[in-house]
Amino acid sequence: MIKGRFAPSPTGRMHLGNIASALLSWLSARAQGGAWLLRIEDLDPQRSKREYSRIIEDDLHWLGLDWDEGGLDGRGDAGPYSQSRRGDIYARYLELINATGYTYPCRCTRAEIMATQAPHQSDGRIVYGGRCRPAVLPAFGADFDGASTRICVPDSIISFDDGLYGPQHFNLAREVGDFILRRADGAWAYQLAVVVDDALMGVSEVVRGSDLLLSAAQQIYLYRLLGLEPPRFAHVPLLCNAEGRRLSKRDGSLSMEHLRATMTAPQIIGRLAALLGLLPEPTEITAAELIPDFSWQKIKPDRTLSIK
């Protein structure tokens, strides 16, 4: 049985873009007779708050997006379902990756990396140049105390077929460089945590924003190193405000706090459905009413969608 998931970060109120990803993930799972999981990605202890997790759950319930597993009540047998409580699990899988000899300690500061590397293309992304990479790999017995853990990536193409954008091809060495699995302060990196979580929780379909297409290639690389089966990916268009900027928690008029005060749940669902291509025009409709006619082929394969 297919299992989808929604994995929000509890760092503020959800906005319309977050709801779009949740809605498409939920519809895809329900249309295929599958299950839907809610996981709280609270890896950042400074920004994550439990109160936001509760508000996210309340907003999802209000929108009619129910889940079968996870959430704050820990429904299911693959928990904990909050990443802040899964450190011991991540540590075990990091040991497995370390055993390959392709991780190494990195003591570069962000300032040093920024000073020695040029931004990649036009998005400001920095490609790590391998300043701390050992001359010979695999390497064993390194001292990781006080250092970040980086994984060496191959100078080869990683390909996958995206559910919306079709065939994708990325060379990790050229497009991202060796990336971090655990920071020097002990915080777990998203790339490792999400791979371990999705694998252990049985997630077979991941629906999320198109800004994470490159992350899918990084995660597939880790799945292969660990001998795990990656899920199917479907990356969806990002929603942008009237100025053409990607939605963020700063867009108050499109946050769930404002939307719930000015619109009904069927109005919000109908507006999103029309924007994404599921309906010809905005119509009041519940999420459940969209299930029978849901099809990925209706979704507009644009990288961004502007909200007028």
Side-chain angles (χ1 to χ4, degrees), residues 78-308:
Y81 292 95
S82 296
Q83 289 185 328
S84 61
R85 300 173 57 203
R86 296 177 63 82
D88 291 345
I89 299 172
Y90 304 145
R92 293 201 302 270
Y93 279 85
L94 182 59
E95 287 181 6
L96 294 176
I97 296 177
N98 286 342
T100 67
Y102 285 93
T103 57
Y104 59 89
C106 176
R107 292 180 170 81
C108 295
T109 65
R110 180 169 178 79
E112 289 171 336
I113 295 172
M114 294 289 287
T116 58
Q117 299 296 309
H120 183 273
Q121 298 180 351
S122 61
D123 60 5
R125 179 163 30 93
I126 300 298
V127 178
Y128 181 68
R131 186 169 181 259
C132 289
R133 182 196 278 203
V136 178
L137 288 166
F140 301 95
D143 179 12
F144 287 90
D145 189 38
S148 296
T149 301
R150 281 192 188 269
I151 178 74
C152 173
V153 300
D155 186 10
S156 58
I157 299 295
I158 289 182
S159 300
F160 64 96
D161 192 38
D162 186 73
L164 187 60
Y165 295 108
Q168 301 293 311
H169 311 282
F170 294 98
N171 184 307
L172 293 182
R174 299 176 188 177
E175 297 188 63
V176 68
D178 299 348
F179 57 92
I180 288 176
L181 301 181
R182 192 176 194 183
R183 294 188 336 211
D185 62 4
W188 296 100
Y190 167 78
Q191 306 296 2
L192 175 63
V194 74
V195 165
V196 171
D197 290 346
D198 283 343
L200 296 185
M201 294 177 185
V203 172
S204 57
E205 181 180 81
V206 171
V207 178
R208 59 191 182 185
S210 61
D211 57 325
L212 293 173
L213 274 164
L214 176 57
S215 284
Q218 294 172 266
Q219 291 158 21
I220 288 170
Y221 174 54
L222 294 181
Y223 275 108
R224 291 174 180 172
L225 278 180
L226 290 168
L228 300 171
E229 182 69 24
R232 298 196 304 270
F233 292 98
H235 292 80
V236 300
L238 299 178
L239 268 59
C240 296
N241 60 23
E243 289 74 41
R245 294 192 301 270
R246 175 186 168 186
L247 290 188
S248 72
K249 292 182 170 65
R250 293 186 297 273
D251 288 292
S253 65
L254 296 172
S255 75
M256 282 302 297
E257 181 177 16
H258 178 80
L259 292 171
R260 285 186 67 163
T262 58
M263 301 175 71
T264 66
Q267 285 174 330
I268 295 172
I269 296 296
R271 181 183 181 187
L272 271 178
L275 184 64
L276 294 165
L278 296 175
L279 292 176
E281 59 184 26
T283 303
E284 290 190 37
I285 193 170
T286 67
E289 289 172 328
L290 289 170
I291 295 173
D293 294 321
F294 175 78
S295 170
W296 279 107
Q297 309 216 340
K298 295 181 179 180
I299 308 300
K300 301 174 182 178
D302 302 316
R303 288 300 172 89
T304 61
L305 294 174
S306 181
I307 300 173
K308 304 300 183 182

